[in-house]
Amino acid sequence: MRPVTTVSGRAYPWGAKNVDTDVIIPAHWLKTITRTGLGRGAFETIRAQPGNLFDDPEFAGSPILIAGDNFGCGSSREHAAWALADMGITAVIAPSFSDIFSGNAFKNGIVAVVLPQAAVDRLVEVAKTDPVTIDLESMSVTTPFQDRFTFELDPFRRQCLIEGLDEVGLTLARDTAISKFEEAVVEHRPWLERKSGYAGIAVDGAGRT
């Protein structure tokens, strides 16, 4: 997972409320066994409409999506976060998120920023013409017009995003501690060490030793 300290650039000024995961990535895209290419299916039903925001060249490649209340509701598919990441979105700003989506976004390096509706409305207007910046160090969202909105983020998630640590990365970062623990277990409880085969243990037909 790539480290995320700041996310800056144009933002999709969408603002739609109650966007469920089926809108983010329709069910027929869930058959894939890879994350690559899911961005093509992101917001497929919206993109089917002429002149839609997501196919507007002015916003192509925008790293930020500004949405409305209850973003990511519906089914728990992690493909929703995969699809957003594949289309280049690194942060979503909304008044609230589904808990499951928020967790999936974090695991995939996407910053879920919660701001009051008034702040979101302001950012939607700014994003139509100008860039937006999200800073995880100062925990703020700013614009070229001196707007500054602070937000909160779970300290553990914030640190993982800044350091680029997903679940695998967190485990690898503790490799030394894990190895020392395993060595201590073998030293003090040698009977727990895995052995090949079951020599010396007889089991009868009823499963008794």
Side-chain angles (χ1 to χ4, degrees):
M1 191 167 81
R2 290 179 302 147
V4 181
T5 303
T6 61
V7 185
S8 186
R10 295 301 300 273
Y12 295 102
W14 198 22
K17 298 181 179 181
N18 300 313
V19 176
D20 64 31
T21 51
D22 194 52
V23 171
I24 299 172
I25 186 71
H28 63 267
W29 283 87
L30 308 189
K31 300 175 183 178
T32 180
I33 58 174
T34 177
R35 306 180 188 190
T36 305
L38 281 175
R40 297 195 306 272
F43 305 110
E44 186 177 64
T45 56
I46 307 298
R47 283 174 155 167
Q49 304 170 15
N52 73 85
L53 174 67
F54 295 105
D55 288 328
D56 186 336
E58 183 177 355
F59 300 101
S62 295
I64 302 170
L65 170 65
I66 304 174
D69 197 39
N70 198 29
F71 186 82
C73 57
S75 66
S76 61
R77 65 191 68 167
E78 191 173 3
H79 294 68
W82 295 350
L84 292 177
D86 193 58
M87 69 181 290
I89 292 176
T90 309
V92 181
I93 301 172
S96 67
F97 294 88
S98 155
D99 287 342
I100 294 177
F101 173 82
S102 182
N104 286 336
F106 158 67
K107 292 177 183 178
N108 289 277
I110 297 175
V111 186
V113 177
V114 176
L115 288 177
Q117 185 65 57
V120 171
D121 292 341
R122 169 60 180 165
L123 290 172
V124 166
E125 289 304 311
V126 171
K128 291 177 181 178
T129 55
D130 292 273
V132 172
T133 297
I134 300 169
D135 190 326
L136 288 184
E137 294 287 356
S138 63
M139 298 290 284
S140 65
V141 180
T142 57
T143 75
F145 305 101
Q146 307 306 311
D147 298 295
R148 181 183 177 85
F149 307 107
T150 59
F151 62 93
E152 296 182 356
L153 197 63
D154 176 82
F156 171 74
R157 289 187 174 185
R158 173 176 174 269
Q159 199 60 36
C160 286
L161 288 167
I162 290 175
E163 295 182 14
L165 295 175
D166 56 13
E167 291 170 327
V168 174
L170 283 169
T171 302
L172 292 176
R174 291 168 172 77
D175 178 63
T176 300
I178 293 171
S179 296
K180 287 182 177 178
F181 174 80
E182 291 177 338
E183 291 171 0
V185 168
V186 172
E187 180 181 353
H188 298 292
R189 300 175 182 176
W191 61 88
L192 294 179
E193 185 177 12
R194 183 179 296 276
K195 301 292 185 180
S196 60
Y198 295 91
I201 301 178
V203 180
D204 64 17
R208 296 185 294 266
T209 56

